[in-house]
Amino acid sequence: MPPPTGFPTVTPAIIIKLNVTNANPHGIIHTGSTFTHFDCPSGTIESTEGFSPAFKAKVNFGADWCTFDADKEHGRLNLKVVARTDEGASISLDYNGVIRMDEAAWKVFTMQPDAKTMAFGAATGSCRFVVGDEKLKALENNVFAGNGRIIVGENGLVAESRLCQIVPSTDMD
């Protein structure tokens, strides 16, 4: 039997880099999850070479309302960001994802001094954009998914996500 058809493909589209400045732990909440709010007040959102619409934007607000499952195996990312392009257009995005937690990830998320950069592969998510500028409307009218990592540097943490545009299949099986 031939493999099924009709699956979408992906096109590299956008790279998000957010500076994580503070962790605000809240403790265990009503769901049994542990809730921590992370401030991400600056960073960049930029389209990849060849992607349309092309843009570069600076983040002027960002935060992650992150929860960690009671079994400590996964984290749930709930990121909201507002940015402005070099041309002055506003971009809002909501990113929801899941991260597989291990000892190395816990060190990063609890901002331990011996934390190390996390490689791609532990976190995946999807992103939804809201824009007003007509030149950027394609961001609202497409679906984006990707993966992320956290870079541990001398100046703190950088949360990086690389998003692909989901391209619908035109197969007729």
Side-chain angles (χ1 to χ4, degrees), residues 75-78 95-99 124-126:
R76 311 288 167 172
L77 308 173
N78 180 12
Y95 180 96
N96 292 287
V98 177
I99 184 165
T124 58
S126 62

Side-chain angles (χ1 to χ4, degrees), residues 42-140:
S42 63
T44 59
I45 305 172
E46 187 172 346
S47 58
T48 59
E49 186 175 335
F51 179 77
S52 182
F55 67 93
K56 290 182 182 178
K58 289 186 177 141
V59 171
N60 51 43
F61 169 82
D64 190 351
W65 287 261
C66 190
T67 57
F68 302 97
D69 295 354
D71 66 8
K72 308 289 188 219
E73 297 290 322
H74 294 90
R76 311 288 167 172
L77 308 173
N78 180 12
L79 178 68
K80 300 187 184 315
V81 175
V82 178
R84 188 165 301 279
T85 68
D86 292 349
E87 291 75 32
S90 288
I91 297 174
S92 293
L93 70 86
D94 291 337
Y95 180 96
N96 292 287
V98 177
I99 184 165
R100 187 178 62 254
M101 299 300 293
D102 58 16
E103 184 179 345
W106 279 112
K107 285 183 179 188
V108 169
F109 277 91
T110 56
M111 298 183 160
Q112 298 300 311
D114 61 339
K116 298 198 179 345
T117 294
M118 296 175 60
F120 290 110
T124 58
S126 62
C127 188
R128 184 177 60 86
F129 289 90
V130 177
V131 298
D133 189 307
E134 278 301 314
K135 294 176 193 164
L136 299 174
K137 280 297 180 184
L139 297 176
E140 284 188 340

